[in-house]
């Protein structure tokens, strides 16, 4: 079967792997990106960008200072903006995303938050009077914006943000102020140096009454000189774990006046005479966060895919040690431990991307509903995106780190691309709502679902399975080798565990309440259990999404995806075996059966491993990894990469000349 990656001159081990492929890699790629046309369009973009001198990096960013990286990124950003339509349909979200990944990379760029949050916030939350003015200019990139919500002292607990917006009826303006040091906005991406506007989250005050957090458009810098406006202090927060090319910023506002219309008033409103009208749903103002949490799934699925590609290809190329005496050294991909480390990451990357597809459909349906005045889909989507954001970012982070370690010493080098990838990706556990906090949002929703289920009330989409009757004992290992029924048995077992954990967490919560604790204090005493229930529920949702996609996939790729799904489900059940065992739903024998099936899956998938990662269709530019390159010619490339280190510009470094050589000389003369 064809793997389209085979080319002359490639590493022979990689070619050998590609020849054992049992499916058409293009079919799988097309399925992953929605259609053959989408796949072709991605490839055209890659080809054009790779050949374009505006996007060439004579010196890899690994060897540049942060300032130089930002300069190079800003230059490429300008080229993307001015010449974007030469490469793609700039109105197509996925084409633009791919163009940016190819042309600029993942470490941040001047417009990341402009497109990622500033524009979505304005489009989703601002009223016509404001949007008519600012959105055309923002889309035309006459202005650049950031989303400034988090403060030095508060990020999670939005209710206690300190920045104030006080309505002045006399002038029909809001006065925006940073009252304390801890009230400074701190962290917002692109706020420090790039943006001249921001959506700023402030506590709204009317007639001395605190109403709560609302968003306001504030101009930060002069449109001509880009200097901060009077009363505005703004800058970069300094080096951080990754996102080197993003100017995460600080901001202090000294009683800045903005007109009434600058409040984002699509949902909540303040009339000219200062009358406040709340939104039709209390949390519609938090809509931008739901949007980003949903879209983060795609980005994080792709991050994990990158790591899986690098680790799988490199493991096919790398030979080290022998499994049996008297035979040549083996490809490290032949070690069972290596497969057990890497293959679940391949399956998880597919599962995350497929889950994203489901969520995107739900998000679009919710937005359509809101436009027609219905908010009933919001609570379910908020609950499941909160859980998914937490589980996926954590899962992807652990997976990337596994892949990095699976590459041995070279995985520790920036040449592998994996340390930087991890640095960027792992930020997702914190931003857009810290994971422990987001899981509690899911758990709150589960507690309501438990109550509804007990009362026989209708259950919404993500928790519908709470209404199923459990069979009491698992069918795992008792389906006579019927794969479809085995998959169903595993899904049923996971659903049983998620439901049980939710019910038990609810009972623990209630018990503490009966013991005299307030609801809130009691909640804090059971949050570990609450978050555990939320995690398992979310993993059930992912498993169901993956299962749905696989069972409805075209017949040509269904067998390989079914193998991958088997691995995914076996791995998930073994990983969560304690939950399946705890109440006796599964027996120890059934868990041993699951493990043995998992080891069989590793062997089954081995001939398709390289082709499965090839099917993610990430280019060498996107991978940005010497170890993961498509042609597998790793060792020569590793040497050429190291040669570019600035330490190698001279044979004798000034630091050696100045300190180390005299020290050695002194020591010698002491003898
Ligand atoms: C182009 C697309 C983008 C691609 C993605 C790539 C991303 C680009 C990379 C850039 C990198 C980084 C960008 C980062 C940006 C940021 O981090 S912005 C700042 C994000 N900050 C947060 O997420 C703060 C987290 N805190 C909160 O969300 C809330 O404060 C919290 C939910 C924790 C609690 O809020 P409270 O007001 O106290 O509410 P609570 O009492 O708990 O709940 C009341 C009620 O409301 C429901 N609820 C809460 N939030 C929402 C929501 N967003 N939507 C709907 N409903 C919500 C909650 O469930 C409760 O419901 P109930 O029925 O009363 O139980
Ligand atoms: C790379 C990056 C980019 C960012 N970009 C932006 C941006 O563009 N715009 C913006 O406004 N912000 C941005 N942020 C800020 C980000 O949204 C916040 O850091 C995040 O929401 C977490 O808030 P915090 O920092 O206040 O953490 P804290 O809330 O102080 O969390 C610290 C610890 O306390 C725990 N904790 C807090 N509350 C609870 C609770 N209720 N229950 C249990 N545990 C709790 C947390 O779980 C965590 O372990 C960015 C952050 C990063 C790292």
């Amino acid at each position: 079967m064809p793997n389209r990656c085979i080319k002359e001159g490639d590493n022979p081990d990689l070619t050998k792997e590609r020849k054992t492929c049992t499916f058409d890699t293009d079919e799988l790629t097309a399925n992953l990106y929605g259609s053959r046309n989408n796949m072709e369009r991605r490839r055209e973009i890659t080809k054009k960008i790779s050949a374009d001198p505006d996007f060439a990096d004579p010196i890899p960013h690994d060897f540049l200072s942060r300032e130089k990286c930002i300069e190079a990124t800003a230059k490429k950003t300008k080229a993307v903006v001015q010449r974007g339509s030469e490469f793609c349909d700039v109105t197509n979200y996925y084409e633009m995303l791919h163009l940016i990944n190819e042309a600029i990379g993942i470490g941040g760029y001047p417009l990341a938050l402009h497109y990622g949050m500033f524009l979505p916030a304005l489009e989703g939350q601002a009223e016509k009077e404001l949007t008519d003015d600012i959105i055309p200019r923002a889309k035309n990139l006459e202005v650049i914006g950031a989303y400034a919500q988090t403060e030095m002292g508060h990020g999670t607990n939005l209710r206690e943000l300190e920045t104030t917006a006080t309505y002045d009826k006399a002038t029909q303006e809001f006065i925006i102020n940073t009252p304390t040091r801890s009230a400074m906005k701190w962290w917002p991406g692109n706020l420090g140096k790039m943006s001249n506007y921001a959506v700023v989250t402030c506590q709204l005050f009317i007639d001395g009454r605190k109403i709560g957090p609302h968003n306001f458009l504030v101009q930060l810098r002069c449109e001509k000189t880009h200097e901060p406006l009077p009363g505005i202090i703004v800058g970069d927060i300094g080096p951080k774990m990754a996102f080197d090319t993003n100017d995460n910023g600080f901001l202090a506002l000294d009683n800045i006046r903005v007109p009434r219309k600058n409040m984002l008033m699509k949902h909540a409103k303040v009339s000219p005479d200062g009358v406040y009208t709340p939104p039709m749903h209390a949390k519609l103002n938090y809509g931008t966060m739901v949007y980003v949490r949903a879209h983060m799934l795609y980005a994080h699925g792709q991050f994990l895919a990158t790591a899986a590609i690098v680790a799988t290809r490199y493991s096919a190329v790398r030979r080290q040690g022998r499994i049996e005496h008297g035979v040549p050294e083996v490809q490290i991909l032949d070690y069972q431990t290596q497969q057990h480390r890497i293959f679940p990451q391949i399956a998880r990357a597919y599962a995350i991307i497929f889950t994203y597809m489901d969520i995107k459909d739900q998000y679009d349906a919710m937005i359509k509903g809101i436009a027609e005045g219905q908010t009933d889909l919001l609570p379910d989507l908020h609950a499941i995106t909160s859980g998914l954001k937490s589980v996926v970012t954590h899962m992807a982070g652990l997976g990337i780190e596994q892949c990095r370690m699976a590459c041995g010493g070279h995985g520790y080098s920036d040449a592998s691309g994996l340390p930087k990838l991890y640095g960027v990706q792992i930020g997702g556990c914190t931003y857009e709502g810290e994971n422990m906090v987001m899981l509690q949002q899911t758990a709150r929703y589960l507690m309501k679902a438990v109550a509804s289920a007990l009362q026989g009330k209708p259950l919404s989409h993500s928790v519908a399975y709470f209404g199923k009757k459990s069979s009491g004992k698992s069918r795992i290992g008792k389906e006579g080798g019927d794969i479809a029924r085995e998959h169903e048995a595993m899904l049923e077992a996971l659903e049983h565990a998620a439901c049980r954990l939710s019910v038990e967490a609810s009972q623990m919560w209630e018990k503490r309440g009966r013991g005299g604790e307030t609801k809130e204090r009691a909640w804090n005493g059971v949050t570990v259990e609450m978050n555990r229930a939320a995690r398992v529920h979310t993993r059930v949702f992912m498993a169901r999404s993956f299962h749905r996609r696989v069972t409805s996939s075209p017949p040509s790729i269904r067998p390989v995806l079914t193998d991958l799904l088997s691995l995914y489900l076996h791995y998930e059940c073994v990983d969560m075996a304690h939950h399946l065992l705890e109440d006796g739903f599964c027996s120890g024998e059934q868990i041993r059966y699951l493990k043995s099936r998992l080891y069989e899956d590793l062997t089954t998938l081995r001939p398709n491993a390289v082709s499965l990662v090839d099917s993610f269709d990430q280019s060498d530019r996107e991978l940005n990894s010497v170890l993961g390159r498509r042609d597998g010619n790793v060792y020569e490339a590793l040497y050429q990469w190291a040669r570019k280190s600035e330490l190698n510009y001279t044979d004798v470094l000034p630091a050696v000349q100045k300190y180390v050589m005299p020290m050695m000389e002194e020591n010698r003369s002491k003898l």
Side-chain angles (χ1 to χ4, degrees):
M1 278 287 195
N3 176 327
R4 315 278 166 163
C5 282
I6 296 175
K7 291 209 172 68
E8 228 171 275
D10 287 358
N11 174 285
D13 278 330
L14 261 188
T15 300
K16 176 180 75 98
E17 295 296 329
R18 288 173 173 141
K19 285 187 176 161
T20 59
C21 178
T22 63
F23 64 98
D24 181 341
T25 50
D26 273 5
E27 279 273 337
L28 183 50
T29 305
N31 187 265
L32 201 58
Y33 294 107
S35 68
R36 258 182 192 271
N37 183 53
N38 292 352
M39 175 185 80
E40 298 297 353
R41 295 282 300 163
R42 278 174 57 88
R43 289 179 183 173
E44 279 167 34
I45 294 166
T46 299
K47 202 169 160 196
K48 285 183 194 163
I49 290 290
S50 304
D52 197 302
D54 271 355
F55 302 103
D57 281 314
I59 302 176
H61 281 205
D62 305 314
F63 302 117
L64 296 180
S65 68
R66 187 165 167 232
E67 205 183 340
K68 288 272 177 238
C69 286
I70 289 181
E71 192 180 330
T73 304
K75 189 170 165 232
K76 289 182 197 164
T77 303
K78 186 173 176 214
V80 164
V81 169
Q82 293 184 333
R83 301 179 47 217
S85 51
E86 288 175 36
F87 306 104
C88 76
D89 169 4
V90 292
T91 63
N92 181 312
Y93 172 82
Y94 296 97
E95 289 197 11
M96 271 309 278
L97 210 59
H98 184 57
L99 174 64
I100 289 161
N101 274 345
E102 286 288 4
I104 301 172
I106 60 166
Y109 69 105
L111 304 177
L113 273 295
H114 178 83
Y115 286 122
M117 291 197 83
F118 178 72
L119 263 170
L122 290 169
E123 283 171 332
Q125 293 171 32
E127 217 180 18
K128 196 169 172 336
E129 199 186 349
L130 181 61
T131 54
D132 277 357
D133 170 35
I134 190 74
I135 288 189
R137 293 190 337 114
K139 285 196 167 161
N140 200 29
L141 294 173
E142 292 163 38
V143 301
I144 297 176
Y147 183 82
Q149 183 172 288
T150 307
E151 295 172 358
M152 195 189 275
H154 288 92
T156 296
N157 189 8
L158 302 178
R159 293 182 198 206
E160 299 299 328
L161 291 178
E162 294 179 82
T163 307
T164 54
T166 309
Y167 189 57
D168 179 353
K169 273 184 232 173
T171 59
Q172 296 188 10
E173 290 170 322
F174 290 100
I175 305 162
I176 303 203
N177 192 44
T178 305
T180 61
R181 174 66 74 225
S182 60
M184 281 184 93
K185 294 295 173 189
W186 200 272
W187 270 114
N190 301 134
L191 174 69
K193 296 288 163 187
M194 300 297 168
S195 298
N196 51 6
Y197 280 75
V199 166
V200 181
T201 311
C202 312
Q203 294 291 351
L204 172 61
F205 279 85
I206 304 177
D207 293 332
R209 188 164 66 98
K210 181 175 165 183
I211 313 257
H214 288 73
N215 287 330
F216 297 81
L217 177 70
V218 182
Q219 181 174 355
L220 307 176
R221 291 171 180 270
C222 167
E223 286 192 24
K224 286 210 168 69
T225 63
H226 204 67
E227 291 291 338
L229 293 175
I232 286 175
I233 296 172
V234 65
D236 175 74
I237 64 167
K240 48 202 178 276
M241 189 162 168
F243 278 122
D244 293 344
T245 43
N246 200 305
D247 50 317
N248 292 76
F250 60 71
L251 170 70
L253 302 136
D254 182 9
N255 291 304
I256 301 298
R257 285 180 170 267
V258 301
R260 187 184 64 91
K261 73 168 174 91
N262 277 30
M263 177 169 149
L264 274 55
M265 284 200 280
K266 191 177 203 166
H267 306 302
K269 296 182 200 310
V270 174
S271 71
D273 54 350
V275 176
Y276 177 76
T277 311
M280 63 176 165
H281 183 291
K283 293 297 184 247
L284 273 178
N285 282 342
Y286 291 0
T288 313
M289 290 182 277
V290 177
Y291 168 82
V292 178
R293 285 171 199 146
H295 284 81
M296 275 171 73
L297 305 180
Y298 182 74
H300 286 255
Q302 291 288 0
F303 289 149
L304 182 56
T306 305
I309 299 168
V310 172
T312 307
R313 287 185 182 160
Y314 176 66
S315 299
V317 165
R318 181 79 165 174
R319 285 183 174 271
Q320 183 116 235
R322 291 175 177 80
I323 292 175
E324 287 167 296
H325 293 298
V327 289
E329 284 196 293
V330 295
Q331 293 165 284
I332 57 173
L333 197 57
D334 284 336
Y335 293 116
Q336 190 189 44
T337 46
Q338 193 77 352
Q339 295 168 6
H340 188 249
R341 240 180 180 176
I342 300 172
F343 294 176
Q345 315 315 331
I346 303 177
R348 284 180 163 183
Y350 276 98
I352 295 169
I353 296 170
F354 285 136
T355 304
Y356 162 76
M357 291 171 175
D358 270 4
I359 286 294
K360 196 193 162 292
D361 291 346
Q362 285 181 45
Y363 181 83
D364 291 345
M366 181 196 75
I367 291 298
K368 194 164 167 272
I370 289 177
E372 291 159 5
Q374 289 158 6
T375 55
D376 48 329
L377 296 179
L378 178 59
D380 196 64
L381 192 66
H382 163 62
I384 195 60
T385 49
S386 297
L388 284 168
K389 180 267 176 201
S390 309
V391 167
V392 161
T393 52
H394 189 244
M395 199 179 251
L398 293 183
I400 292 170
E401 186 56 4
Q402 277 298 334
C403 289
R404 188 191 68 72
M405 289 189 283
C407 294
H410 299 324
Y412 193 75
S413 165
D414 276 348
S416 71
L418 296 176
K420 286 238 161 66
L421 177 72
Y422 180 74
V424 166
Q425 183 280 325
I426 207 69
C429 292
T430 306
Y431 66 69
E432 240 14 274
E434 208 282 331
N435 280 356
M436 291 301 134
V437 177
M438 287 296 102
L439 284 169
Q440 289 180 59
Q441 290 291 309
T442 315
R444 277 172 76 123
Y445 190 72
L446 294 182
M447 293 308 104
K448 287 186 191 166
V450 167
S452 298
L454 290 174
Q455 293 162 26
K457 286 189 185 161
L459 293 158
S460 45
H461 177 68
S462 71
V463 286
Y465 68 91
F466 277 27
K468 283 188 193 167
K469 205 167 157 37
S470 171
S471 56
K473 285 281 171 208
S474 171
R475 301 277 320 145
I476 285 172
K478 300 191 169 129
E479 299 293 7
D482 180 323
I483 299 294
R485 289 170 66 104
E486 287 211 353
H487 287 172
E488 202 44 60
M490 287 188 276
L491 289 164
E492 189 204 22
L494 294 175
E495 284 177 347
H496 171 87
C499 198
R500 178 181 64 79
L501 288 167
S502 298
V503 171
E504 286 177 6
S506 154
Q507 289 165 345
M508 285 179 216
W509 187 29
E510 249 179 55
K511 192 173 164 202
R512 293 185 82 109
R514 282 199 305 276
E517 286 181 346
T518 62
K519 262 188 142 185
E520 294 77 12
R521 167 119 341 251
W523 178 270
N524 193 45
V526 294
T527 33
V528 173
E529 294 296 328
M530 288 287 172
N531 282 3
R532 187 163 288 149
R535 264 187 226 107
V536 179
H537 163 72
T538 306
R539 287 167 78 169
V540 165
F541 185 92
M542 292 175 69
R544 276 273 171 220
S545 283
F546 192 11
H547 179 259
R548 237 187 334 271
R549 287 277 158 183
V550 171
T551 47
S552 61
S553 62
S556 58
I557 52 170
R558 205 176 304 153
V560 69
L561 281 179
T562 304
D563 291 343
L564 203 60
L565 176 66
S566 286
L567 171 88
Y568 182 80
L569 292 175
H570 287 134
Y571 192 83
E572 285 293 88
C573 286
V574 171
D575 198 43
M576 291 189 266
H578 49 304
H579 299 319
L580 304 180
L581 287 166
E582 212 166 35
D583 66 340
F585 188 69
C586 285
S587 63
E589 193 189 334
Q590 283 174 309
I591 302 301
R592 281 191 289 278
Y593 170 80
L594 287 170
K595 284 195 212 163
S596 68
R597 293 301 315 271
L598 173 60
Y599 307 142
E600 285 169 26
D601 293 335
L602 299 179
T603 311
T604 310
L605 278 172
R606 170 68 184 82
N608 276 326
V610 166
S611 299
L612 276 165
V613 298
D614 285 345
S615 302
F616 287 121
D617 213 36
Q618 291 191 11
S619 70
D620 281 355
R621 275 185 73 93
E622 277 179 289
L623 288 175
N624 194 25
S625 167
V626 170
L627 303 189
R629 41 191 294 149
R630 187 208 54 78
D631 66 11
N633 293 329
V634 169
Y635 294 133
E636 181 57 28
L638 198 53
Y639 176 59
Q640 294 308 332
W641 179 87
R643 295 285 306 172
K644 293 183 182 142
S645 167
E646 64 179 343
L647 298 193
N648 293 327
Y649 290 176
T650 55
D651 278 328
V652 183
L653 279 182
V656 173
Q657 250 168 4
K658 211 164 152 191
Y659 301 109
V660 181
M661 285 169 62
M663 179 190 75
M664 289 193 287
E665 191 50 46
E666 275 170 37
N667 288 343
R668 266 183 228 120
S669 59
K670 274 189 211 151
L671 286 176

